[in-house]
Amino acid sequence: MAGALRKPQLRAAALVLPLSAFILATFVAPLVTMLTRSVYDPMVADTLPETLALLHDWDGQSTPSEAVFETASREMVRAREDRSLGRVATRVNRVESGLRSVIMKSARRLHRVKEVDSWREAMISIEPEWGEAKTWRAIQRAGERITTRHYLHALDLQRDADGSIVLQPPQRRVYLPLLKRTLAVSLGITVLCLLLGYPLAYLIAHAPPRRANLLLLLVLVPFWTSLLVRTTSWIVLLQTEGVVNDTLVALGLIADENRISMIYNMTGTVVAMTHVLLPFMVLPVYSVMRTIPPLYMSAAASLGASFPQAFRRVYWPQTLPGVGAGSLLVFILSIGYYITPALVGGQSGQLISNMIAYHMQQSLNWGLAAALGSILLGCVVALYLLYDRVVGIDRMRLG
Amino acid sequence: MTKYRFKDRITPSAGAVAIFSLAALSWSQNALGAESVTAVSWGGSYARACTKAIHEPFTAETGIEVRMEDYNGGLAQIRAQVETGNVHWDVVDLEMADAVLGCDEGLLEPIDAAHLPPGPDGTPAEEDFFPETLTECGIGVVYYSTIYAYNEEKFSGSKPATIGDFFDLEKFPGRRGMRRTPVVNLEFALMADGVPMKQVYATLDTPEGVDRAFRKLDTIKEQIIWWEAGAQPPQMLADGEVVMSTAYNGRIFNAQILEKQPFVVVWDGQVLDWGQTGIVAGTRNLEAARKFVAFGARTESMAAIGRYISYSPVRRSGTALISTHLETGVDMKPHMPTTPANVARALHSDWEWWSDHSDEMNERFSAWLAR
């Protein structure tokens, strides 16, 4: 019996094998690599192993011993020769700005030094920073193979001199305000999509079949249209010299020199994203509404409920699984949205994903980008769990 | 965080096209034996000057074809090419800090200064180049400066004359253009806030100094329109989109001389810098690239650039060769950033400070922009 069952099971497994392999190679593997990058960085540890071993016994406050200086100078000169020192300096510099030139300049000079009485004095005379404990602490921190520094950085936290974790001063906070803004904007877009999408879904669900099909098509056509085309259409509509402003000026509602800036700011981001994400709200809500038998509403009416009453007590609760699914979908999609804010967000309409893109493409601080990405992923997972706890994920219906 | 550019989005397809064309290219190279280098520079009138002054004579002398590409600075594209092993840029014009960073990280080929052509009087290149303009992987090209210029028609009464005036919205109302980067802008802000030139970088070295610079930028933030490519400021000034803008001095010069635009350059507080040429590590055309760089390092080549655009040679022997604009006959000296009267009011850009602090400042700048 077991043997007879195993064969079809194996065949089924073989059929999904290509898909599993595909997901593993294109989704799971890169995800794991990125998550690893956010906590694991062996570059400095591999380049200056002996220095870091010696620093292990250092008290963290005084000037390190002569042996540390001697080893550090030897390892730095060697790393300079095989051209890995630049990348080490970049990493140390991210912990403590200003140390890049200290390291590079010292290595360049030490390269020529063959014999000295005291490496400590030699290095301090090249760059006085070598006499300071914080320089060595920065090297120690950059030398952590497994590190939390990217996460601290991504949450605007820093370590102070005695190693405790504190918040950055307000003017230097970058990511927390952006994360808060991203969450707030995503919430706003979700609410907007619900307000706009729910009546539309209701209309489609209750229209005669032919009109319903037409309406559904009108929802789906933008959904099938390229994201870039839709976003750039908003630019055409909303820009200062755009259709909307031209119309307002032509109608005499606003003066030519007072054209409203509706794009390249937060308004642009919210408008374009709401439009782009609207189908993700309409479709689940619509498909849930379609399964609600019209009899329920008639029954409520026949029992004397007014339409608002019947709607509130009979109809709305039954659409909640669709509303939940649509809201969760829209919120999760907007948290990580990148292209639309990048195109129409200007300065003030940028979200956290644009900062991730910046660190991936421009500053090339992949560790930090990975940490920011992981935090976003964490937000989504937390939200999912919260939803499961409050509503129950088995109640969610996508159609 | 950077402004979205269409170029970035079409990268995959552009990449595919690049791969195919590269394949086609290497095949045709083998078949025809024609050598070529891809030179990447800043576009617009500067690229035009380089084409006329260096690329065309270089091709005439060596038979090596020069292909041009434009970019807006930074190491990101070079790093991507080197790390993926798909190098299709050969020679790149770089900002000083990037030339040093790129060298330290192995993205650029070291260039032996001993092989560079000597000056016309036989002075070895190492002595003929001005200090700091030769680095391990970078060869100085020309001095340029970031100045601010205004459109004369926009101010009927008193005209802007100092760097402080750029930040004075009461005396000189109107929108201003600035490059979307902290580089130079922080220096401008501090100088306008009354920090003496000699103490600008010492001030920036303290957290309070950086705060002060950002506070000063805050005072005009609402009125700033940000530009990215060097060709934008003259355009913005001509369109009346801004009344004044920071800009590379050569771009304004070209608009003044060739297009007869009513622009005026304010030399006070100009930030003087020099471009570097570097060879991308792992290029397939290393020999051609070396020849190209050596050709560009000749005093005559640098001086030739200075006959198309107001950037001056980084070799001592080049100073005497500054003459007139080739197309109009205008005397170039008053337009050069290094002319004594102009350089007296110049801040020398501290590339080392920027190589240390660009990560931190870029992050802070992005946060400030988004606020």
Side-chain angles (χ1 to χ4, degrees):
Chain A
M1 185 66 195
L5 266 180
R6 193 170 299 143
K7 211 170 167 195
Q9 268 177 356
L10 274 177
R11 198 182 303 146
L15 279 173
V16 294
L17 202 64
L19 178 69
S20 316
F22 179 77
I23 289 181
L24 204 68
T26 61
F27 182 68
V28 179
L31 197 67
V32 171
T33 318
M34 276 320 271
L35 290 179
T36 315
R37 255 178 207 281
S38 69
V39 289
Y40 179 71
D41 186 357
M43 181 72 209
V44 179
D46 287 346
T47 314
L48 309 171
E50 291 172 46
T51 311
L52 288 164
L54 287 171
L55 279 176
H56 196 70
D57 305 322
W58 169 57
D59 63 5
Q61 303 298 330
S62 60
T63 318
S65 65
E66 172 67 17
V68 171
F69 280 93
E70 196 256 318
T71 317
S73 63
R74 181 161 42 80
E75 287 185 320
M76 272 166 27
V77 169
R78 197 179 53 208
R80 182 178 172 272
E81 278 156 14
D82 64 23
R83 297 206 158 262
S84 54
L85 191 63
R87 271 169 283 169
V88 168
T90 303
R91 280 164 173 77
V92 178
N93 198 59
R94 277 177 192 148
V95 177
E96 183 80 42
S97 279
L99 289 182
R100 150 177 282 283
S101 65
V102 169
I103 291 175
M104 296 313 296
K105 207 191 279 175
S106 305
R108 224 167 2 231
R109 299 260 187 90
L110 289 165
H111 174 65
R112 288 183 233 125
V113 179
K114 290 285 167 266
E115 277 303 316
V116 284
D117 296 332
S118 158
W119 287 98
R120 185 199 306 225
E121 272 158 37
M123 283 175 74
I124 293 175
S125 74
I126 293 171
E127 288 287 343
E129 274 87 348
W130 291 116
E132 291 170 28
K134 71 171 184 190
T135 306
W136 295 99
R137 275 201 302 270
I139 291 179
Q140 249 183 336
R141 206 149 289 148
E144 291 166 359
R145 226 173 255 277
I146 306 282
T147 178
T148 55
R149 67 175 191 277
H150 296 310
Y151 281 96
L152 294 182
H153 194 162
L155 292 168
D156 288 332
L157 299 165
Q158 60 176 3
R159 280 177 200 273
D160 61 10
D162 42 294
S164 51
I165 295 169
V166 291
L167 210 57
Q168 295 268 18
Q171 72 275 15
R172 299 188 57 184
R173 283 177 211 162
V174 179
Y175 304 103
L176 279 186
L178 211 54
L179 193 64
K180 270 184 217 149
R181 175 199 281 178
T182 306
L183 293 175
V185 168
S186 302
L187 191 70
I189 289 169
T190 310
V191 171
L192 273 177
C193 278
L194 186 62
L195 289 178
L196 294 170
Y198 194 89
L200 181 60
Y202 185 87
L203 192 68
I204 303 174
H206 294 266
R210 277 190 58 179
R211 200 179 326 144
N213 279 342
L214 181 72
L215 286 171
L216 205 56
L217 200 71
L218 290 179
V219 175
L220 287 174
V221 166
F223 189 54
W224 294 330
T225 313
S226 155
L227 177 66
L228 274 180
V229 175
R230 279 187 287 166
T231 307
T232 37
S233 316
W234 279 109
I235 300 180
V236 175
L237 282 173
L238 296 182
Q239 63 189 344
T240 328
E241 305 293 323
V243 178
V244 174
N245 264 316
D246 281 350
T247 315
L248 289 175
V249 171
L251 291 173
L253 291 174
I254 53 169
D256 199 12
E257 60 275 12
N258 294 334
R259 285 167 176 261
I260 310 165
S261 44
M262 290 177 282
I263 204 149
Y264 305 124
N265 52 26
M266 192 48 91
T267 318
T269 299
V270 171
V271 169
M273 275 178 68
T274 304
H275 174 242
V276 167
L277 294 174
L278 197 55
F280 291 98
M281 180 66 86
V282 173
L283 295 177
V285 174
Y286 160 73
S287 62
V288 167
M289 281 177 174
R290 232 181 34 168
T291 62
I292 300 171
L295 278 174
Y296 290 176
M297 285 295 273
S298 314
S302 71
L303 290 170
S306 64
F307 179 78
Q309 252 179 337
F311 178 83
R312 192 165 47 82
R313 302 207 20 206
V314 177
Y315 197 79
W316 168 254
Q318 294 186 81
T319 58
L320 275 182
V323 169
S327 305
L328 202 63
L329 209 57
V330 170
F331 189 82
I332 287 174
L333 282 173
S334 47
I335 271 189
Y337 230 68
Y338 162 64
I339 297 175
T340 305
L343 262 177
V344 301
Q347 317 296 349
S348 60
Q350 302 291 310
L351 303 179
I352 194 101
S353 51
N354 304 97
M355 205 64 188
I356 297 178
Y358 167 76
H359 284 301
M360 285 301 292
Q361 297 169 346
Q362 304 289 320
S363 79
L364 300 147
N365 190 350
W366 286 15
L368 180 58
L372 286 167
S374 309
I375 289 170
L376 265 193
L377 184 66
C379 287
V380 170
V381 170
L383 197 79
Y384 177 87
L385 292 177
L386 186 77
Y387 183 88
D388 187 34
R389 191 75 181 272
V390 178
V391 186
I393 215 71
D394 47 335
R395 286 200 61 201
M396 185 163 95
R397 295 247 306 272
L398 287 165
Chain B
M1 205 60 216
T2 55
K3 194 181 155 208
Y4 183 87
R5 272 167 293 169
F6 242 91
K7 240 166 59 189
D8 298 337
R9 280 317 307 163
I10 56 170
T11 304
S13 57
V17 171
I19 289 167
F20 283 119
S21 49
L22 260 179
L25 183 73
S26 53
W27 179 80
S28 66
Q29 261 181 11
N30 292 342
L32 304 170
E35 271 187 293
S36 76
V37 286
T38 303
V40 182
S41 188
W42 303 87
S45 45
Y46 177 63
R48 188 173 153 271
C50 289
T51 309
K52 296 270 183 198
I54 298 181
H55 303 178
E56 287 176 4
F58 174 73
T59 307
E61 190 180 299
T62 61
I64 300 172
E65 199 190 327
V66 182
R67 292 155 202 276
M68 279 233 77
E69 272 193 50
D70 294 347
Y71 86 134
N72 287 330
L75 284 172
Q77 285 147 292
I78 298 174
R79 206 169 317 201
Q81 291 183 23
V82 173
E83 281 176 10
T84 57
N86 178 20
V87 178
H88 55 274
W89 286 1
D90 301 319
V91 179
V92 185
D93 272 347
L94 297 150
E95 280 169 281
M96 187 62 192
D98 286 338
V100 173
L101 288 178
C103 195
D104 289 347
E105 296 191 13
L107 303 175
L108 301 173
E109 290 284 339
I111 302 174
D112 190 352
H115 293 154
L116 293 177
D121 58 351
T123 319
E126 282 126 310
E127 289 163 35
D128 196 30
F129 274 79
F130 283 109
E132 291 200 279
T133 56
L134 283 179
T135 55
E136 211 182 329
C137 304
I139 306 300
V141 188
V142 286
Y143 283 108
Y144 66 91
S145 86
T146 310
I147 43 81
Y148 83 89
Y150 61 91
N151 188 334
E152 205 175 8
E153 289 167 353
K154 300 287 175 186
F155 302 103
S156 48
S158 63
K159 316 268 186 197
T162 65
I163 185 64
D165 291 342
F166 188 83
F167 288 80
D168 193 337
L169 288 174
E170 267 172 38
K171 247 164 88 186
F172 304 103
R175 289 186 175 271
R176 279 106 164 102
M178 280 187 129
R179 185 173 170 209
R180 201 228 282 275
T181 163
V183 184
V184 175
N185 292 340
L186 297 185
E187 287 97 318
F188 276 154
L190 284 185
M191 285 188 281
D193 207 31
V195 175
M197 253 173 212
K198 284 202 165 60
Q199 280 152 37
V200 166
Y201 289 103
T203 311
L204 277 179
D205 229 3
T206 62
E208 300 76 36
V210 175
D211 289 348
R212 184 173 171 187
F214 276 104
R215 269 201 309 276
K216 188 69 181 176
L217 284 172
D218 264 332
T219 60
I220 57 168
K221 188 178 179 187
E222 296 297 311
Q223 294 295 320
I224 300 176
I225 293 184
W226 301 98
W227 56 269
E228 278 176 73
Q232 282 170 282
Q235 196 59 47
M236 286 155 65
L237 282 168
D239 294 346
E241 206 180 327
V242 294
V243 295
M244 52 178 96
S245 177
T246 65
Y248 302 125
N249 71 296
R251 309 290 181 134
I252 298 297
F253 167 81
N254 267 46
Q256 286 171 325
I257 301 303
L258 292 178
E259 295 159 29
K260 308 280 177 234
Q261 296 283 1
F263 301 162
V264 182
V265 170
V266 177
W267 291 103
D268 183 54
Q270 63 150 317
V271 179
L272 188 65
D273 214 333
W274 58 90
Q276 292 263 298
T277 305
I279 301 176
V280 181
T283 161
R284 271 162 280 203
N285 307 312
L286 186 58
E287 273 319 301
R290 287 217 170 108
K291 278 185 205 157
F292 179 75
V293 168
F295 187 91
R298 294 181 189 172
T299 308
E300 307 87 77
S301 303
M302 296 176 185
I305 294 181
R307 302 209 63 190
Y308 292 94
I309 194 163
S310 55
Y311 297 145
S312 47
V314 296
R315 296 182 72 144
R316 292 174 216 278
S317 56
T319 311
L321 298 182
I322 297 174
S323 63
T324 54
H325 188 244
L326 199 64
E327 287 148 308
T328 61
V330 171
D331 183 14
M332 294 301 284
K333 285 193 194 77
H335 298 283
M336 290 294 191
T338 46
T339 300
N342 296 339
V343 84
R345 294 183 281 171
L347 173 75
H348 294 255
S349 172
D350 185 344
W351 58 269
E352 193 162 62
W353 191 85
W354 278 109
S355 75
D356 271 347
H357 295 90
S358 60
D359 272 349
E360 188 193 355
M361 289 304 131
N362 277 324
E363 199 171 56
R364 176 102 185 248
F365 183 74
S366 314
W368 174 82
L369 273 185
R371 208 164 277 160

